[in-house]
Amino acid sequence: MRKGRVEPRRPKDQFPVRIQWDPERDLHLDKLPYRSIQIGLGKEAVNLYVTQWIRGITDVTPLAHEIHALVEAGKLDEARVRLPVERVY
């Protein structure tokens, strides 16, 4: 791209995968000083995702409710120890 020239935007559906940076949040949903990658899948990638890439699904709804209740009760230390471990890739 030449200096001062803006490339035209292409429609999102031309890309099988879209990446954007979103703010990470704490237990009160306040923004943290770092961001995480959010990955959006287009039709082609979704098909691969559901037919080939998924290795397992775990329903964490009960855990999320438990953590939320602890946060609401002001028991942040108890809530933090129940958060799933996040690995850096």
Side-chain angles (χ1 to χ4, degrees), residues 53-89:
W53 298 345
I54 293 177
R55 298 287 181 243
I57 297 174
T58 303
D59 182 1
V60 297
T61 304
L63 176 60
H65 288 295
E66 180 182 348
I67 292 169
H68 180 256
L70 290 167
V71 171
E72 290 291 308
K75 299 178 180 181
L76 298 182
D77 289 336
E78 290 180 51
R80 277 189 196 94
V81 298
R82 286 172 173 78
L83 290 172
V85 175
E86 294 186 36
R87 297 179 315 193
V88 176
Y89 292 93

Side-chain angles (χ1 to χ4, degrees), residues 1-73:
M1 177 164 68
R2 288 185 284 172
K3 188 175 181 179
R5 185 172 175 187
V6 177
E7 292 290 322
R9 289 187 170 254
R10 297 191 309 187
K12 286 190 231 178
D13 60 355
Q14 288 186 349
F15 302 99
V17 177
R18 294 175 298 282
I19 306 292
Q20 71 183 42
W21 289 95
D22 283 350
E24 193 65 49
R25 307 251 176 200
D26 66 15
L27 289 171
H28 295 290
L29 302 181
D30 295 322
K31 289 182 183 179
L32 294 170
Y34 52 90
R35 295 179 173 268
S36 295
I37 292 178
Q38 180 185 50
I39 301 171
L41 303 178
K43 291 178 186 178
E44 179 183 340
V46 167
N47 183 47
L48 290 169
Y49 184 76
V50 300
T51 61
Q52 297 178 28
W53 298 345
I54 293 177
R55 298 287 181 243
I57 297 174
T58 303
D59 182 1
V60 297
T61 304
L63 176 60
H65 288 295
E66 180 182 348
I67 292 169
H68 180 256
L70 290 167
V71 171
E72 290 291 308

